[in-house]
Amino acid sequence: HDSESSARSDSDSSDSDHHRKKRELHHHATRHREHAKAKAKHNEDSALAAMEAATSGLTSNDAAKKKVTAEDKKKQKLIQAKMKALEGKINKDFHKVTKMGKKAGFLPPLKMPAL
């Protein structure tokens, strides 16, 4: 009689362990699902906010509506000329360094200027 009740209590114990583990797994899966939903919602909200920020700049840009004056065109041409000159200086400097490296047989590492 004791062996029967002992077997039954072992069976009950393993059943309760089984149910406990099953509940824990279910709880873990539910938390994981909720976390994934929250993360997806956050990503959607972030993407929507970024899109709204990008499109709001397109619709409320007063500079795009502003009429371009002769003075604006003059400034633009001046800036373009300065950029071309700067590009020329950069190319000239680059070619000087590479020419020197080719003559020497190697290209020494360039030191970054202190800013």
Side-chain angles (χ1 to χ4, degrees), residues 82-98:
K82 285 182 179 181
M83 292 303 291
K84 278 281 193 198
L86 180 59
E87 186 179 0
K89 286 180 182 178
I90 290 170
N91 284 333
K92 187 177 178 183
D93 188 47
F94 173 78
H95 291 298
K96 274 186 187 177
V97 172
T98 55

Side-chain angles (χ1 to χ4, degrees), residues 6-98:
S6 172
R8 197 176 315 131
S9 76
D10 286 347
S11 173
D12 290 344
S13 174
S14 72
D15 279 351
S16 74
D17 283 348
H18 173 74
H19 288 297
R20 182 182 52 77
K21 287 180 181 178
K22 195 172 181 180
R23 278 193 311 271
E24 286 175 1
L25 284 173
H26 177 72
H27 179 70
H28 177 74
T30 303
R31 283 183 34 218
H32 181 73
R33 222 179 0 263
E34 288 170 358
H35 178 72
K37 283 181 184 178
K39 191 172 184 180
K41 175 82 171 118
H42 173 74
N43 289 343
E44 288 172 11
D45 291 346
S46 296
L48 182 61
M51 184 183 72
E52 286 173 352
T55 56
S56 72
L58 296 176
T59 57
S60 66
N61 190 355
D62 292 334
K65 296 175 188 174
K66 181 184 169 190
K67 213 168 194 177
V68 179
T69 64
E71 187 178 331
D72 293 334
K73 287 182 182 180
K74 186 178 177 182
K75 285 180 184 177
Q76 187 178 17
K77 289 207 185 270
L78 182 65
I79 291 170
Q80 285 175 341
K82 285 182 179 181
M83 292 303 291
K84 278 281 193 198
L86 180 59
E87 186 179 0
K89 286 180 182 178
I90 290 170
N91 284 333
K92 187 177 178 183
D93 188 47
F94 173 78
H95 291 298
K96 274 186 187 177
V97 172
T98 55

